[in-house]
Amino acid sequence: MSNVLIVDAANVVGSVPDGWWRDRRGAAERLRDRLASREGSGEDDEEIILVVEGAARGVGSVPGVRVEAASGSGDDLIVELTAARAAAGCSVVVVTADRELRERVRAHGARCVGPRAVRPVDGPGVSGSTSPRRGS
């Protein structure tokens, strides 16, 4: 049985107010690179899939991380990928804080973890006062 880690890029990137909204594609690329450099990435029995959508489409795959661009809803693609991998007998972990998405992927047997599993919340430039304002 292989292990699959499916990462909700929009949710993980949006979990830390570090200016990601100014360069969504760049933020997704930094997340991809962080995933590729994490211990254990690229092992024969582990597949890492980063699901991007919207302005982050066009981010390319790198060794150890396959990037899937959603043509519509990123959540729908994550559920589709989860269902397919689970049906193939894989152990699937989905990284997201989205409660509705968590329910949908758990229905296919996935385990869920929050963004902190792959992205630290502290560091230079992280401040709650710089987050985008709703409606602006």
Side-chain angles (χ1 to χ4, degrees):
M1 176 189 295
S2 64
N3 298 309
V4 182
L5 181 70
I6 301 175
V7 181
D8 179 353
N11 188 269
V12 172
V13 165
S15 69
V16 178
D18 62 358
W20 59 263
W21 53 91
R22 291 187 292 266
D23 182 10
R24 293 171 194 257
R25 182 175 174 164
E29 288 171 340
R30 288 188 297 279
L31 175 58
R32 175 206 59 200
D33 295 345
R34 186 176 301 115
L35 291 167
S37 67
R38 69 190 270 272
E39 188 174 322
S41 69
E43 290 182 5
D44 290 339
D45 68 338
E46 181 184 49
E47 177 182 18
I48 299 174
I49 304 170
L50 179 65
V51 176
V52 298
E53 60 187 302
R57 280 190 211 110
V59 171
S61 296
V62 296
V65 180
R66 191 173 90 232
V67 178
E68 290 281 341
S71 59
S73 163
D75 289 1
D76 290 346
L77 179 56
I78 290 168
V79 172
E80 179 183 317
L81 292 167
T82 299
R85 295 308 187 287
C90 297
S91 173
V92 181
V93 175
V94 175
V95 182
T96 187
D98 182 317
R99 288 183 183 142
E100 181 181 332
L101 177 58
R102 283 175 171 240
E103 288 178 23
R104 293 174 66 193
V105 297
R106 282 182 178 138
H108 296 284
R111 188 169 64 89
C112 298
V113 296
R116 290 181 186 180
V118 297
R119 181 168 186 182
V121 295
D122 57 350
V126 176
S127 166
S129 64
T130 62
S131 62
R133 293 187 178 108
R134 294 192 185 266
S136 56

